Amino acid sequence: MPDGIRSRIVSGVGDLDMHILEAGYEGRGRPAILLLHGFPELAWCWRRVMPLLADAGYHVVAPDQRGFGRTTPQPDAYLTDLGPYATGNLAADIFHLIDALGLSSVDMLIGHDAGAIVAGFCAFAQPDRVRRLVLSASPFGGAPPAGALPTAPFLDHPIHEELARLSPPRKHYQAYYCGPEANADMWHAPQGMHQFLRGYYHQKSADWDGNRPGPLKGWTGEEIARLPHYYCMPAQCGMAEVAAAIIPDAGQVAACTWLSDADLAVAAAEFDRTGFQPALNWYRSALAEGMTGRDLAPFHGRRLAMPVAFVAGKADWGPYQSPRLLESMRDGLATQPVALHFIERAGHWVQQEQPERFAEILLAFAGPS
C-alpha cells in the first residue's frame, strides 16, 4: 500500500467484521469520505486516490464490502440466502460502518461500478447522513416515478431470448454472473487468477484500443451486441475465455503504470482465496430476484436533494451499457441535474487509471473542507 494507508478490521459492523483501508486518520475532526468499490474489486482499488484525498484534509475510508476480500463472514455456496446481499442490506452495512467509526455523517459518499448502486441507495435511505454523492462508472437511475408499476427482474427481460437468436448467439454478462457456472469458470480459469484478472482489467481500461463507447439506441439484440464481449458475451464462452482472448503482452504490462504486477497480485491473492460467489450474489439478488427494485419501492417519486456528480472514464462503456440510463440519472435522480465528468485516457477503472484527475474533480465538487 502507498504510505499513509493502513489496513484494519472493524468488528461488529452489523453482522460483519469489516476490513477497511484508511488514510488521513491522524488527528480528529477531519471530514470523512467513504469509498465503495465495485466488481471484481476490493477496498484496494482506491489505493491510488486515497492519499490524494487525505492530503487535502479528509479522513478517507474504503471498506471491503459484504462478500469481498477480508470482510467476514462470506457464505460461498451458490444456493444461499440472498437477503443479506439485497441492496437495502448492503446499504445498511455502510451505515453500520459509519456508526462503528463514530461518525454521524460523511461529507462525501463515492460509489464505483456496483458500489454506485449501494451509494445511491444510501443517499435515499438516510439523506441526512450523506452530504454529497458521487457515482462512478455505472449510472444509478434512482427511485421509480410515483405510481410506477413494479418491474420484472432483469433475468425475465426478453433481451436474453433476442441475444440468443443472434448469429452468432450472444448472452448478457449479468445473466452469466447470475448462473451457477460463473464462479468456477473465473475462480479456476485455465490461465490462473493473476492472468484472468490481468486480461479482464485490461479489456475494460483505456489501455485496450477496442473501447470506443457511445450511446445505444435501445434494448434490442442488435444494439446490445455492439457492446464488447466482456458485456455481451459469445453464448458459448465463459468470462475466463473472454478475458483470455485479449491479453496484454509483456511490453503492455510493463507500460501499465496504474496496475503493476505487484498491485495485481494483491487482488489475485484475495480472489484466489475467496472465489467470486459471495460477490456474485450481489448480481443474483438484484437481477434474478429483483431485490433492488423491491428495496427502492418505498422511495417512489422521490429525488435527491444533495449535490450529485457522476465521474467516468471517456473510454468506459459502463455509462452506456443500459440504454438511456445515463440521461435518466442526469435529469431525474436529483432536484438539480447531476454534474457529469468524463476523464480522458481512462476506462472503467477510472480511479486507478487517472487518480490525480479523479481526485481533482472530487475536491472541486466538495468545495472548501
Side-chain angles (χ1 to χ4, degrees):
M1 289 295 162
D3 291 342
I5 297 180
R6 73 177 179 183
S7 165
R8 66 184 178 105
I9 300 292
V10 181
S11 299
V13 179
D15 63 333
L16 299 172
D17 290 332
M18 185 170 279
H19 173 243
I20 68 168
L21 300 181
E22 272 183 301
Y25 49 85
E26 310 90 343
R28 299 191 177 192
R30 285 180 167 226
I33 292 179
L34 193 54
L35 305 166
L36 306 184
H37 64 78
F39 178 89
E41 293 185 291
L42 305 158
W44 156 94
C45 78
W46 298 103
R47 69 198 178 282
R48 303 194 72 207
V49 77
M50 290 178 71
L52 303 176
L53 301 176
D55 287 347
Y58 289 92
H59 177 199
V60 189
V61 179
D64 284 345
Q65 294 184 83
R66 182 183 294 268
F68 290 83
R70 300 185 184 188
T71 290
T72 57
Q74 283 196 10
D76 60 0
Y78 179 77
L79 297 176
T80 190
D81 178 16
L82 294 176
Y85 299 95
T87 305
N89 196 63
L90 296 173
D93 292 341
I94 302 310
F95 290 121
H96 288 313
L97 175 61
I98 292 172
D99 291 337
L101 294 172
L103 301 172
S104 59
S105 63
V106 294
D107 195 70
M108 200 180 321
L109 181 60
I110 303 164
H112 177 258
D113 187 74
I117 312 306
V118 178
F121 192 95
C122 287
F124 274 98
Q126 297 191 37
D128 56 321
R129 306 191 75 181
V130 179
R131 293 186 61 197
R132 298 174 182 85
L133 175 67
V134 179
L135 309 170
S136 181
S138 296
F140 173 59
L149 296 175
T151 57
F154 178 65
L155 289 194
D156 295 335
H157 196 288
I159 191 62
H160 303 293
E161 293 183 1
E162 192 172 343
L163 289 173
R165 291 195 298 267
L166 294 177
S167 182
R170 306 285 283 275
K171 64 187 176 189
H172 198 280
Y173 81 104
Q174 292 179 345
Y176 162 82
Y177 280 166
C178 289
E181 74 286 352
N183 176 53
D185 172 53
M186 297 187 291
W187 192 8
H188 305 300
Q191 65 267 47
M193 182 62 72
H194 190 99
Q195 286 298 93
F196 166 68
L197 289 176
R198 174 61 77 183
Y200 187 90
Y201 292 153
H202 172 74
Q203 288 186 32
K204 296 185 76 171
S205 76
D207 294 347
W208 182 47
D209 62 7
N211 286 319
R212 296 181 176 87
L216 302 179
K217 295 177 183 177
W219 280 102
T220 67
E222 182 179 356
E223 281 296 294
I224 299 301
R226 290 176 52 202
L227 294 167
H229 285 179
Y230 54 76
Y231 279 146
C232 189
M233 304 167 66
Q236 77 281 7
C237 291
M239 194 62 78
E241 190 173 350
V242 170
I246 301 172
I247 190 83
D249 60 30
Q252 290 173 303
V253 172
C256 184
T257 57
W258 64 272
L259 187 61
S260 69
D261 268 338
D263 284 336
L264 181 56
V266 174
E270 290 297 272
F271 284 112
D272 216 12
R273 181 175 59 83
T274 65
F276 293 95
Q277 192 58 62
L280 291 171
N281 286 338
W282 286 40
Y283 290 90
R284 296 182 60 224
S285 69
L287 304 170
E289 301 298 328
M291 291 181 178
T292 299
R294 177 204 69 188
D295 291 350
L296 281 169
F299 308 112
H300 274 206
R302 295 191 196 174
R303 293 188 176 192
L304 298 174
M306 76 277 291
V308 183
F310 178 79
V311 186
K314 206 162 186 180
D316 184 10
W317 270 103
Y320 307 106
Q321 63 164 308
S322 296
R324 292 185 289 274
L325 182 57
L326 180 66
E327 293 80 5
S328 175
M329 177 196 68
R330 180 194 63 200
D331 300 329
L333 177 62
T335 54
Q336 298 295 319
V338 173
L340 304 182
H341 302 271
F342 290 89
I343 296 178
E344 297 280 356
R345 300 184 303 281
H348 190 67
W349 323 107
V350 56
Q351 79 279 40
Q352 298 185 67
E353 296 177 63
Q354 296 293 338
E356 292 84 4
R357 180 62 183 135
F358 191 89
E360 181 183 351
I361 290 171
L362 297 185
L363 295 174
F365 180 63
S369 61

